[in-house]
């Protein structure tokens, strides 16, 4: 029996699985996830932050459009310095985005800053305890910890089923998600 894998090894394995999916599989997965819908009640004016997909991340756009139609207000994250919380700016699908400091499309700095009630987050890997592995910079962990000092923010990981990992070594600063949505299943990690 081998020792448990490091986060870096788990990240590389999960990303290889994600990268191996075809464009058709990616598109079908994003649509299937959106068709099932959110596992939480959408209230009028609720702020839901999505993300601009990079690399081979699952596209949150179909789910975001559904949430918008149900009365949610949309936002996207803007990257600040490493070790700082993300800033969220109001966004709607017809608005153009600009490249942020990491080359990720973001709303204009002129867009209103908002505080999300729900954060849809990309990930490299997840396990059945709600732990996630991102790309290693800790932006989302830091942001959840920061925002949750003021109010509970629902954390929803979006992923392909292929990104599920048996166990992720969680550290004290790692923030568990409330849900992970894949094309096949909704995982609910909230305490009963």
């Amino acid at each position: 029996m081998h020792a448990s894998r490091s986060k870096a090894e788990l990240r590389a394995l999960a990303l290889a699985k994600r990268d191996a999916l075809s464009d058709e599989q990616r598109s079908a997965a994003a649509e299937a996830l959106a068709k099932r819908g959110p596992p939480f009640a959408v209230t009028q004016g609720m702020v839901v932050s999505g993300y601009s997909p990079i690399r081979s991340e699952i596209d949150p756009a179909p789910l975001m459009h559904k949430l918008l139609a149900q009365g949610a207000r949309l936002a996207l994250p803007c990257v600040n310095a490493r070790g700082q919380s993300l800033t969220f700016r109001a966004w709607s699908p017809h608005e153009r985005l600009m490249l942020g400091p990491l080359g990720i499309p973001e709303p204009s700095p002129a867009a209103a800053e908002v505080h999300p009630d729900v954060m849809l987050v990309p990930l490299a890997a997840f396990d059945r305890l709600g732990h996630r592995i991102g790309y290693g910079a800790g932006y989302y962990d830091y942001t959840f910890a920061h925002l949750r000092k003021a109010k509970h923010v629902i954390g929803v990981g979006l992923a392909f089923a292929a990104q599920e990992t048996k166990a992720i070594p969680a550290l004290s600063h790692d923030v568990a998600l409330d849900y992970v949505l894949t094309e096949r299943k909704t995982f609910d990690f909230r305490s009963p």
Side-chain angles (χ1 to χ4, degrees):
M1 183 156 171
H2 62 75
S4 61
R5 296 180 190 264
S6 72
K7 281 189 175 183
E9 290 172 308
L10 293 170
R11 180 183 297 114
L13 289 168
L15 291 177
K17 289 179 188 176
R18 191 177 81 183
D19 291 345
L21 297 170
S22 70
D23 289 343
E24 292 78 20
Q25 288 171 309
R26 286 175 211 293
S27 179
E31 292 296 335
L33 186 153
K35 184 176 182 182
R36 200 169 55 251
F40 51 85
V42 178
T43 57
Q44 196 67 32
M46 165 189 271
V47 178
V48 178
S49 171
Y51 58 90
S52 296
I54 59 169
R55 304 178 191 175
S56 57
E57 293 171 347
I58 194 165
D59 188 354
L63 179 59
M64 291 174 71
H65 286 278
K66 184 172 191 165
L67 294 168
L68 181 65
Q70 292 176 347
R73 293 174 41 215
L74 301 179
L76 290 175
C78 299
V79 176
N80 299 305
R82 191 173 178 141
Q84 289 187 6
S85 179
L86 297 166
T87 299
F88 297 89
R89 298 202 178 277
W91 175 78
S92 63
H94 68 276
E95 294 173 346
R96 291 185 57 169
L97 298 172
M98 53 188 288
L99 289 183
L102 297 181
I104 301 170
E106 300 178 349
S108 161
E113 186 174 334
V114 295
H115 300 284
D117 299 299
V118 177
M119 285 171 49
L120 305 178
V121 300
L123 51 87
F126 71 95
D127 68 15
R128 291 197 175 208
L129 295 176
H131 299 121
R132 69 180 278 280
I133 296 176
Y135 298 122
Y139 285 108
Y140 280 102
D141 288 321
Y142 190 85
T143 301
F144 275 120
H146 175 74
L147 293 177
R148 286 179 173 169
K149 289 176 186 172
K151 68 176 184 176
H152 182 69
V153 177
I154 299 170
V156 183
L158 302 185
F160 298 102
Q163 294 173 258
E164 183 180 345
T165 301
K166 186 173 181 178
I168 291 174
L171 303 174
S172 62
H173 67 272
D174 291 333
V175 177
L177 297 166
D178 296 296
Y179 304 95
V180 169
L181 311 182
T182 73
E183 72 275 24
R184 295 188 191 143
K185 186 172 179 174
T186 296
F187 295 92
D188 184 344
F189 306 115
R190 297 168 305 148
S191 299

